[in-house]
Amino acid sequence: TTTARCIGTRSGGSTIENFPRRWTSSDPTIASVDDAGTVRGVAVGLASITCRADTGLPLDAATMAVIVS
């Protein structure tokens, strides 16, 4: 179990930490993620955890690979 962080960046380069976000797992049977970004290994394998700004605006997402062994 680990807690992922998702930090946004404004066009000027400053960071944003307090914004609504949505976490998803590419394969919840391998690794699950909750609304707080807590990632839990479920089974051996590889999954991607994605953080997307939940503002209704077309923003980029950040994705990280999680290997459960």
Side-chain angles (χ1 to χ4, degrees):
T1 302
T2 189
T3 301
R5 291 185 59 204
C6 183
I7 301 171
T9 305
R10 292 186 173 94
S11 59
S14 62
T15 59
I16 312 166
E17 291 198 44
N18 188 16
F19 62 93
R21 56 187 56 92
R22 186 170 21 115
W23 294 95
T24 56
S25 172
S26 64
D27 190 342
T29 65
I30 301 296
S32 66
V33 61
D34 65 17
D35 291 340
T38 303
V39 180
R40 288 184 176 79
V42 178
V44 174
L46 175 66
S48 296
I49 302 299
T50 301
C51 172
R52 183 176 301 278
D54 196 13
T55 60
L57 299 173
L59 300 172
D60 290 336
T63 302
M64 65 179 175
V66 176
I67 300 171
V68 180
S69 57

